[in-house]
Amino acid sequence: MIQRRSFLGLMGAATAAAGTGSLVLPAAAENKKHTIALVPGLTTDAFYITMHRGADAAAEALGQDLLFQGASEWNVTLQVPVLDAVIARKPDAILIAPTDKVQLVEPLKKANDAGITVVCVDTFIGNGVFQTGAGDADFPISYVASDNVLGGVMAARALAQSIGEKGKVYVSNVKPGVSTTDQREEGFKQEMANHPDIEVLETQFNDDDANKAAAQVQAVIGRVPDLAGVFGANLFSASGTANGVKQAGKQGEVKIAAFDAPQSVVQELKDGTFEIVIAQHPAEIGYFGVVAAYAHLTGNPVPTHIGTGFTVMTKDNIDDPNVSKYLYTG
Ligand code: T6T
C-alpha cells in the first residue's frame, strides 16, 4: 500500500491518474530513511541557498535526511575535498553542482564506485547526457537544471532590443569549463549572430567575483566609450557589472541583461540598471533533485534529464506576486 509519504503521493493525484501505475514503491524501501547530500557550487550564493530550501522541502515531504555541505567559493580545489568528506560520510545519494565539467569527473567516479547515487543539479560533468553507456562521465542518473542555452538566447534577444539592435556588447562570465555559464554564452552568441549590427566583444571572465566584474566593466568602458550593453551571465557577473556601470556614471546608458534573481534585482530593475532579469527556479531544481534521488533509491525509473523553468522579470512585472515569488530567498 502506498502511504502518505510515497513517491506517487508526492507527484500528486493528477500524475497518478495520468498513468504512473508502473511506479511501484517497495514496502520495505518506503520505511527506510536515506541520507541525500547536496553539494552546491558554493554555499554563500542566494541561488544555492534557495536550491537548498527546495531540497529540504522534498526531503521533509519524503521523510528523508538531507545533508548540505559545500565550499565558500566557486573553486574546484575547494569543492573536491568537500566532496571527499561527503563521500566518507557514506550518504545514499549525492546531488552536486560540479564546479567544472572535466575536473569533477574523477572525484565523482569515487562516489559512484562506492555505490552512491549521483545526480547533477544546475551544472553537469562531461556533456550532461547521462546513462548512455558511453563510459567516462555518463554515470550520474539524472541532470536537473534550467535550459541554459535558451537562457542565453533570451538574454541576447532582450539586450538586442534594448540597445535598438545596434552597438557593442560583451558577456561578463565566470570562467571557462562551467557547464551552465558556458552554455549561456553559447546561446547568447548564437542569437546575436541574427543581429547583424551588434558586435560581440571579447568575454570578460571574473572568477565568480563581483568586484572583478565591476572593475572589468569600468575598464571596458574606458577602452570602448560607446559600449552599448552587457550580459551578466550569472548572479555575481550581473551584480558586479551593475555596480561597475553605476560607478562609471553610465547607469541606464549601458544596458544590462542579468541572469539570476537575488532580492537586489528589484531595485536594479526599477532604477533602470537592469533591462531584464532571467530568474532560474533553484528551489525547483533542489526539490526535483531530491525526488529523482529518492525515486532511484526506491527502485523507480528516473528521467535522465529534468528541465526546470525560468521567470523573466522586468520593471513592469516585478511587483506581481506571481513573478516576485521567484526572487531567490537567500
Ligand atoms: O547562475 C547560478 C548557477 O546556475 C551557475 O551555475 C553558477 O552561478 C549561479 O550560482 C549564480 O551565482
Side-chain angles (χ1 to χ4, degrees):
M1 243 258 295
I2 307 277
Q3 291 167 8
R4 195 170 62 84
R5 281 183 168 159
S6 74
F7 179 64
L8 284 180
L10 183 84
M11 297 308 282
T15 319
T20 45
S22 63
L23 291 171
V24 178
L25 202 62
E30 187 169 6
N31 296 328
K32 179 168 186 250
K33 215 174 207 205
H34 300 94
T35 299
I36 300 171
L38 171 57
V39 179
L42 71 165
T43 49
T44 53
D45 177 334
F47 174 84
Y48 293 111
I49 294 170
T50 310
M51 183 189 290
H52 182 193
R53 294 224 163 92
D56 257 343
E60 202 187 321
L62 292 164
Q64 306 297 298
D65 283 333
L66 188 87
L67 190 78
F68 182 75
Q69 210 170 322
S72 58
E73 285 171 35
W74 188 278
N75 186 323
V76 173
T77 49
L78 295 180
Q79 191 181 39
V80 171
V82 170
L83 174 60
D84 285 341
V86 168
I87 294 171
R89 292 174 73 169
K90 300 188 193 317
D92 298 287
I94 294 178
L95 270 48
I96 184 165
T99 45
D100 186 280
K101 56 192 170 195
V102 175
Q103 295 180 67
L104 263 293
V105 173
E106 287 305 318
L108 276 170
K109 257 190 197 153
K110 282 197 238 162
N112 188 53
D113 291 347
I116 299 169
T117 297
V118 177
V119 176
C120 283
V121 285
D122 178 45
T123 46
F124 58 68
I125 51 169
N127 63 4
V129 183
F130 298 149
Q131 299 293 313
T132 59
D136 282 6
D138 78 321
F139 55 84
I141 60 149
S142 192
Y143 173 49
V144 187
S146 312
D147 181 339
N148 288 291
V149 175
L150 177 64
V153 168
M154 290 160 67
R157 284 195 192 127
L159 195 61
Q161 201 187 4
S162 70
I163 64 172
E165 296 291 340
K166 59 175 189 307
K168 295 172 185 141
V169 303
Y170 76 88
V171 183
S172 175
N173 212 341
V174 178
K175 60 175 88 167
V178 179
S179 71
T180 46
T181 49
D182 282 357
Q183 287 190 325
R184 290 170 204 164
E185 181 171 337
E186 179 192 326
F188 182 84
K189 289 183 169 166
Q190 187 184 303
E191 174 60 24
M192 281 308 191
N194 302 325
H195 302 262
D197 296 327
I198 296 177
E199 186 187 347
V200 181
L201 306 175
E202 198 188 342
T203 297
Q204 303 290 308
F205 291 106
N206 57 50
D207 291 323
D208 219 24
D209 178 343
N211 291 330
K212 253 193 204 174
Q216 285 168 340
V217 72
Q218 294 188 65
V220 176
I221 290 169
R223 288 195 300 273
V224 185
D226 60 342
L227 179 72
V230 183
F231 170 34
N234 84 331
L235 191 154
F236 300 103
S237 306
S239 62
T241 302
N243 290 339
V245 165
K246 281 183 198 158
Q247 282 154 21
K250 294 271 194 176
Q251 186 182 347
E253 204 177 312
V254 174
K255 309 288 186 191
I256 305 172
F259 223 87
D260 291 311
Q263 301 285 325
S264 53
V265 304
V266 175
Q267 182 57 28
E268 286 158 335
L269 281 168
K270 288 188 174 174
D271 69 15
T273 309
F274 288 155
E275 289 300 309
I276 184 179
V277 168
I278 298 169
Q280 303 187 76
H281 294 177
E284 200 177 316
I285 296 174
Y287 193 95
F288 283 96
V290 167
V291 169
Y294 178 74
H296 182 79
L297 292 170
T298 53
N300 282 299
V302 175
T304 52
H305 179 210
I306 300 174
T308 55
F310 293 123
T311 297
V312 174
M313 299 174 168
T314 64
K315 68 173 180 336
D316 298 325
N317 71 10
I318 191 61
D319 288 328
D320 177 347
N322 285 323
V323 172
S324 58
K325 72 180 181 192
Y326 290 107
L327 289 164
Y328 302 170
T329 49

